Amino acid sequence: MTIDWSAFTPISALAGGVLIGVATALLLALNGRIAGISGILGGLIDRTPGETGWRLAFTLGLLLGPAAWLLFAALPAIEIRADYPMLVAAGLLVGIGTRYGSGCTSGHGVCGLSRLSPRSLVATLMFMGAGFATVFVVRHLLGA
C-alpha cells in the first residue's frame, strides 16, 4: 500500500471534522435537533409548522458552503464514472435505505454515535459494511 502524499490532508480533514462536530453540537444544544440530513430534508417536505425556517437555513448552508469556499480556493475536480441510470438507481437505494434505517449516515454516524446510541452503532456498522461490500464487488468481482 502506498500513500498519495499530495492527497493526504490531515489538517484540513481534522478542521472539517471539528467544524461538523461543533455545528451538530450547537444544533442539538440550541435547537434540540439532530443534524441528520435526511430528517432535515424530510421535514422540509412535510412542512411541520414552526420547523421550516431552521431546516431551510441548514439546507441552504449545505448548498452555499461550496460557493463560499470558492472565495478562498478552488474546489477539487469531481469525476463521476457512472451513467445517469446508475446514479438514479444509487440515489433511490440511498433514499430507501435512509427510510428503513430511520436516518442517514450523518444522523447515525455523527450524531447518534456521539450520543452512544446502540441503534446508531448498528446502523453505522451496516452502512460501512454495505459500502465495503459494494466496493469489493464492483472493483474485484465485476472488474470495474
Side-chain angles (χ1 to χ4, degrees):
M1 180 172 92
T2 60
I3 295 176
D4 179 2
W5 291 104
S6 64
F8 182 64
T9 57
I11 302 299
S12 62
L14 178 63
V18 168
L19 286 173
I20 291 170
V22 168
T24 57
L26 286 173
L27 185 63
L28 183 61
L30 299 177
N31 282 10
R33 302 289 188 253
I34 300 298
I37 307 305
S38 61
I40 291 171
L41 290 175
L44 275 177
I45 294 168
D46 292 341
R47 300 233 177 198
T48 305
E51 294 284 311
T52 304
W54 75 268
R55 291 174 189 273
L56 188 59
F58 190 95
T59 304
L60 285 174
L62 290 175
L63 297 173
L64 295 175
W69 180 261
L70 285 174
L71 296 173
F72 304 103
L75 289 174
I78 299 173
E79 182 181 339
I80 300 174
R81 295 181 188 173
D83 56 7
Y84 285 110
M86 181 67 75
L87 293 174
V88 169
L92 288 172
L93 287 172
V94 168
I96 291 167
T98 60
R99 293 300 286 175
Y100 279 121
S102 298
C104 57
T105 53
S106 57
H108 285 297
V110 175
C111 301
L113 290 179
S114 66
R115 294 180 300 119
L116 304 177
S117 167
R119 185 177 81 158
S120 290
L121 176 62
V122 171
T124 303
L125 290 171
M126 295 300 290
F127 296 149
M128 297 302 292
F132 296 154
T134 300
V135 168
F136 179 80
V137 168
V138 169
R139 290 198 177 163
H140 300 288
L141 299 181
L142 298 179

